[in-house]
Amino acid sequence: MISTLLVDDEHALLDISRAFLQKTGEISVETADSAAAALDKFKTGTYDVIVSDYDMPGMDGLALLKKLRADGEKIPFILFTGKGREEIVIAALNNGVTFYLQKGTDTVAQYAELTHKIRIADRQYRAEQSAQESHQQIENILNFLPDPTIVIDLQGKLIVWNRAAEEMTGIRADAILEKGDYAYAVPFYGKPRPLLANLILSPNERLMSTCYHMREISPRLLIGECEVDVPGGKHLVLWVKATPLLSADGCVTGAIETFRDITERVQRIMEHRANREILGRKNEEILSRNEQLAVTEEELRHTVDELQQSHRLIQESERKYRALVEVLPDALLIHENGKIVYGNPAVCTLIGVSSPQLLKTPLDTLIGNGTGEAILARSKEVLTGKTLPDPQAYTIKKPDGQTTWVEAFFSPVGVEGRVLVQILFHDVTQRKIYEEQIVRQHDDVERYTHALTRANKDLNLMYSVTRHDILNNLTALMGFMELADAKINDPLILDYLKKQKRAAQAIYQSILFTRDYQDLGIHDPEWQNLQELVTCVTAQVNAPRIKFTILVDSLEIFADPLLEKVFYNFIDNSLRHGGDVSAVTVSFQKNDRGLLLIYNDNGVGVPDDEKSHIFERGFGKNTGLGLYLVQEILALTDITIRETGEPGHGAQFEMQVPLPSFRFTCGQALGRKDNDLPNLTSP
């Protein structure tokens, strides 16, 4: 029944109008003989449609319309009058009149038309109200999603920016919605550029390969990875997925893109890869260049079947947001006290049931193993307003016996005056399997490391005995050469002896290098006081003309016990190749990657064309092994080295020490207080 308020100052017209309208059996009529009386009735009564005359004393029908619209009332309003002036019609339309109907002499026809207009006005108003409620419900669901999600239309304008996107970027939705020209890419990438959502509407393989590390490419699905810097100084690795947005009739109306933060997973993969590379470096030389450990990392792939559209809703906007929920990769379920009222296709796939079976089976029966009861208990706590941490972890066992691990996010949602609970299930099965694989691989690496360490000790013992015998025989050989040199006068033979001596000396130096290199990586790294270490080294070298300045007080470095060899080689390099060196300085400074340890002298420096070669094995005027050994000792604890001096103004070696590998023994280092220093402890 359509409740109608009829307003007219003519009582006879009120009576006849009520009689004609109520004759249909679907319209109930109340009357008011003035606009003021209509406003009083509107305060206490509820009506679906208002039909009003224009020309009335005190307040005319147009003034009544303006008053209702000014108060925010959107109720359908039909102006039913004998006045037909153009200015009245225009004013009524400008103030939101639903229909304008002119009275005439054909009573039956005019009331049939009025009845038709009342039906249309009521139907349109109910449709608009339903669309608004549905739009608000789906918008609430989108804002509840844990992953940042955006939607663009066919013109490339942003039409959805959910709450997770606001939290990641710090940009509110009302500040960026309806913007185009790739402005919505700036919060993620720092500049306007096409997103995957744009590329699924307008494919461009060059932009895909330039901007993303693509995992999957098809006309209906793009999946890739990229790195971004978001507000707060965070550097994130994002998994990005884009699909077309389809209307109920299958037409493309835009594109949806979902971002997922996989930074922690990538960091675990990189840390695992770095550990394996360190292990390979330690044993590469000793084991005669064994085949490098293969680095195999399984990439988690998220593939989801295209979800079917299930309902054609009243307005296009409602169909658009319904389609968005239907294609979500995560499972969404809404229930009321255990009775399921909605579930998207991903829920059916997750639990292993059909859509009809999902809606007619209670939640605690549908999900067994006690998980259903646990979800119901959690839902009751959510409805009471109790604040509990999300997500919650559960296991779901399908009818075929397969077990799935999920994380569930709970939230209350209002539907038609009732408070229900909506749950978003995120499948973490692949992550669980990956974590178990990581644990097993770690155990294998530990056993391999123990075996290699035992083999290293045995090999070092053999190398030590062999080197001792070679050095003894080499010493005797060089002695006999000296005796022969004193007895021979033939210039040609003397020249041969001189070359033999140089060759023997080179062999001697190479054997000494193997003694140092043998101990490389054998012992665990340890914290070493740099001030004491460098002071001890400078005290033992024979360099009376050099003034040493050591500015590393309170600094400790986590490095191989052979760290002192680094500074012996630096000083030897200055004495051999620096020319007239009179000053050497050891200092440090902080940078964004950790700490920069600096050694420099005031000698002739290193020519530009040699800077990239001085750390290569065999390069140099003597054995060419000194700086190569320096580089290998530092690399054991991920310390890198480079030469940055200016030719003609001295050599300068810069060693980059990562954050976990240095600390200070007092609180005044770098001019900071104790509570400002990093909390570093020995492993």
Side-chain angles (χ1 to χ4, degrees):
M1 189 71 72
I2 303 173
S3 176
T4 303
L5 178 61
L6 190 61
V7 186
D8 201 311
D9 62 329
E10 295 289 341
H11 289 84
L13 286 176
L14 290 176
D15 293 339
I16 193 171
S17 297
R18 176 164 53 192
F20 269 99
L21 294 176
Q22 293 188 155
K23 185 172 63 175
T24 64
E26 59 179 310
I27 300 175
S28 64
V29 178
E30 288 191 24
T31 62
D33 58 3
S34 67
L39 291 175
D40 290 338
K41 281 181 171 291
F42 200 82
K43 292 178 181 177
T44 57
T46 302
Y47 305 98
D48 298 317
V49 180
I50 294 178
V51 179
S52 175
D53 187 22
Y54 169 72
D55 193 3
M56 295 183 294
M59 177 185 291
D60 60 27
L62 185 57
L64 175 60
L65 171 62
K66 292 180 179 179
K67 170 63 176 171
L68 290 174
R69 293 296 185 252
D71 292 341
E73 293 294 342
K74 298 181 180 179
I75 185 171
F77 192 101
I78 301 174
L79 197 60
F80 184 51
T81 177
K83 300 290 185 180
R85 296 200 307 272
E86 181 179 353
E87 64 272 14
I88 296 175
V89 177
I90 294 174
L93 293 175
N94 288 338
N95 285 277
V97 74
T98 307
F99 293 113
Y100 181 92
L101 189 61
Q102 189 170 0
K103 295 176 181 177
T105 57
D106 189 345
T107 305
V108 174
Q110 76 175 6
Y111 281 108
E113 179 66 16
L114 179 59
T115 300
H116 179 63
K117 295 297 186 185
I118 290 173
R119 291 193 191 105
I120 294 176
D122 178 66
R123 189 180 305 120
Q124 287 180 346
Y125 183 66
R126 292 179 184 273
E128 290 172 359
Q129 292 296 105
S130 177
Q132 289 177 359
E133 291 178 1
S134 178
H135 176 90
Q136 185 62 44
Q137 177 185 348
I138 297 175
E139 195 170 70
N140 290 339
I141 292 174
L142 291 176
N143 280 328
F144 174 67
L145 295 178
D147 293 331
T149 303
I150 69 169
V151 179
I152 62 173
D153 61 15
L154 291 177
Q155 288 70 43
K157 288 187 178 181
L158 184 70
I159 59 176
V160 172
W161 182 271
N162 75 345
R163 189 172 300 159
E166 290 182 336
E167 293 173 356
M168 175 177 282
T169 64
I171 305 297
R172 291 180 55 84
D174 55 11
I176 198 167
L177 285 176
E178 298 301 324
K179 291 190 175 181
D181 298 326
Y182 312 127
Y184 37 81
V186 176
F188 292 103
Y189 304 109
K191 61 181 180 180
R193 51 170 270 192
L195 301 182
L196 281 188
N198 302 107
L199 297 177
I200 205 162
L201 295 177
S202 301
N204 187 316
E205 293 185 2
R206 184 186 65 81
L207 288 177
M208 288 183 197
S209 61
T210 301
C211 302
Y212 300 91
H213 179 49
M214 298 304 299
R215 298 299 184 189
E216 186 163 340
I217 301 176
S218 72
R220 295 291 185 181
L221 180 65
L222 293 179
I223 298 178
E225 294 178 8
C226 60
E227 298 185 21
V228 299
D229 293 307
V230 297
K234 292 184 179 179
H235 181 75
L236 303 180
V237 181
L238 298 181
W239 174 89
V240 190
K241 174 185 175 183
T243 59
L245 184 63
L246 305 178
S247 63
D249 54 5
C251 295
V252 177
T253 61
I256 173 175
E257 182 166 350
T258 300
F259 303 82
R260 182 165 295 163
D261 183 359
I262 60 169
T263 307
E264 184 177 350
R265 188 195 72 174
V266 172
Q267 287 177 345
R268 288 200 302 268
I269 293 174
M270 297 304 295
E271 290 172 0
H272 178 62
R273 182 178 297 148
N275 289 335
R276 297 186 66 174
E277 289 175 354
I278 291 173
L279 181 62
R281 270 201 314 270
K282 280 187 174 182
N283 298 281
E284 184 179 6
E285 291 294 327
I286 298 173
L287 299 178
S288 301
R289 305 189 184 195
N290 279 344
E291 182 179 359
Q292 185 179 6
L293 294 175
V295 180
T296 57
E297 301 292 343
E298 179 181 0
E299 296 292 340
L300 297 177
R301 292 184 175 272
H302 301 274
T303 56
V304 181
D305 295 333
E306 289 296 327
L307 304 177
Q308 298 298 322
Q309 308 301 322
S310 62
H311 298 286
R312 175 184 283 274
L313 301 179
I314 299 172
Q315 295 293 328
E316 181 61 29
S317 61
E318 184 178 358
R319 290 198 301 270
K320 176 180 63 178
Y321 287 105
R322 165 74 63 171
L324 178 60
V325 173
E326 291 292 308
V327 300
L328 286 176
D330 289 329
L332 181 68
L333 181 147
I334 301 177
H335 74 92
E336 183 178 20
N337 297 325
K339 176 178 174 54
I340 299 173
V341 299
Y342 174 77
N344 69 350
V347 167
C348 300
T349 302
L350 177 68
I351 302 176
V353 298
S354 64
S355 180
Q357 185 179 359
L358 177 75
L359 296 177
K360 69 181 182 180
T361 308
L363 180 59
D364 55 351
T365 304
L366 187 67
I367 304 177
N369 286 345
T371 299
E373 291 85 346
I375 291 175
L376 280 177
R378 169 74 173 184
S379 299
K380 291 178 181 178
E381 293 177 334
V382 169
L383 290 176
T384 60
K386 187 175 182 180
T387 302
L388 295 170
D390 268 343
Q392 296 291 306
Y394 301 102
T395 57
I396 295 177
K397 193 170 184 179
K398 295 183 178 180
D400 61 3
Q402 181 181 355
T403 299
T404 302
W405 283 269
V406 297
E407 291 180 343
F409 300 81
F410 293 76
S411 175
V413 59
V415 178
E416 298 179 353
R418 298 174 295 160
V419 180
L420 283 62
V421 176
Q422 67 179 7
I423 310 169
L424 190 74
F425 295 99
H426 178 50
D427 190 343
V428 295
T429 304
Q430 291 299 321
R431 190 181 75 190
K432 286 283 188 181
I433 295 173
Y434 177 77
E435 290 173 352
E436 292 174 357
Q437 291 175 346
I438 290 295
V439 171
R440 290 195 297 270
Q441 290 177 1
H442 177 74
D443 293 340
D444 293 341
V445 170
E446 288 291 332
R447 289 193 296 271
Y448 185 52
T449 301
H450 177 74
L452 289 178
T453 301
R454 179 67 177 269
N456 289 345
K457 290 181 179 179
D458 294 342
L459 288 173
N460 284 338
L461 177 61
M462 181 187 70
Y463 292 160
S464 177
V465 172
T466 303
R467 182 176 56 252
H468 179 268
D469 293 343
I470 292 174
L471 287 176
N472 285 343
N473 288 316
L474 191 58
T475 300
L477 177 62
M478 293 173 66
F480 285 125
M481 288 180 182
E482 291 294 337
L483 293 175
D485 187 33
K487 298 292 186 178
I488 297 174
N489 295 321
D490 188 334
L492 181 60
I493 300 300
L494 288 174
D495 183 58
Y496 288 160
L497 281 175
K498 183 183 296 184
K499 292 179 180 179
Q500 290 174 1
K501 289 179 185 179
R502 285 200 298 269
Q505 187 64 33
I507 294 172
Y508 186 83
Q509 292 297 328
S510 296
I511 293 298
L512 290 182
F513 172 78
T514 64
R515 180 185 63 192
D516 293 336
Y517 201 78
Q518 171 189 329
D519 294 332
L520 186 62
I522 294 300
H523 302 288
D524 291 334
E526 59 188 27
W527 288 104
Q528 301 177 58
N529 186 292
L530 209 60
Q531 183 80 21
E532 296 176 358
L533 184 146
V534 178
T535 301
C536 180
V537 170
T538 57
Q540 296 181 39
V541 298
N542 184 21
R545 295 184 295 104
I546 297 179
K547 178 183 178 182
F548 293 100
T549 303
I550 306 171
L551 305 174
V552 291
D553 189 30
S554 304
L555 176 62
E556 291 188 350
I557 300 295
F558 188 69
D560 191 90
L562 291 176
L563 181 62
E564 66 177 16
K565 295 288 186 182
V566 170
F567 292 94
Y568 275 119
N569 277 285
F570 283 161
I571 297 173
D572 182 68
N573 190 74
S574 295
L575 292 173
R576 289 178 181 272
H577 311 298
D580 190 16
V581 176
S582 61
V584 169
T585 302
V586 180
S587 60
F588 71 90
Q589 63 186 42
K590 291 278 289 189
N591 60 19
D592 56 355
R593 292 187 294 156
L595 180 139
L596 200 62
L597 186 60
I598 303 169
Y599 173 96
N600 56 28
D601 63 33
N602 62 346
V604 298
V606 180
D608 286 332
D609 58 350
E610 295 183 6
K611 287 180 180 287
S612 60
H613 302 292
I614 59 175
F615 297 104
E616 295 176 0
R617 183 174 179 180
F619 182 84
K621 300 176 181 178
N622 294 295
T623 64
L625 298 175
L627 292 179
Y628 172 74
L629 179 62
V630 165
Q631 179 178 253
E632 292 297 300
I633 293 172
L634 296 174
L636 290 173
T637 49
D638 295 327
I639 301 174
T640 60
I641 183 171
R642 62 175 183 164
E643 203 288 324
T644 60
E646 182 179 351
H649 297 277
Q652 179 165 294
F653 295 96
E654 293 184 354
M655 293 155 278
Q656 180 65 52
V657 184
L659 281 173
S661 297
F662 70 89
R663 67 185 182 187
F664 298 94
T665 57
C666 71
Q668 299 305 316
L670 297 179
R672 300 185 303 182
K673 298 180 180 178
D674 283 336
N675 56 6
D676 292 331
L677 295 176
N679 184 16
L680 297 173
T681 57
S682 177

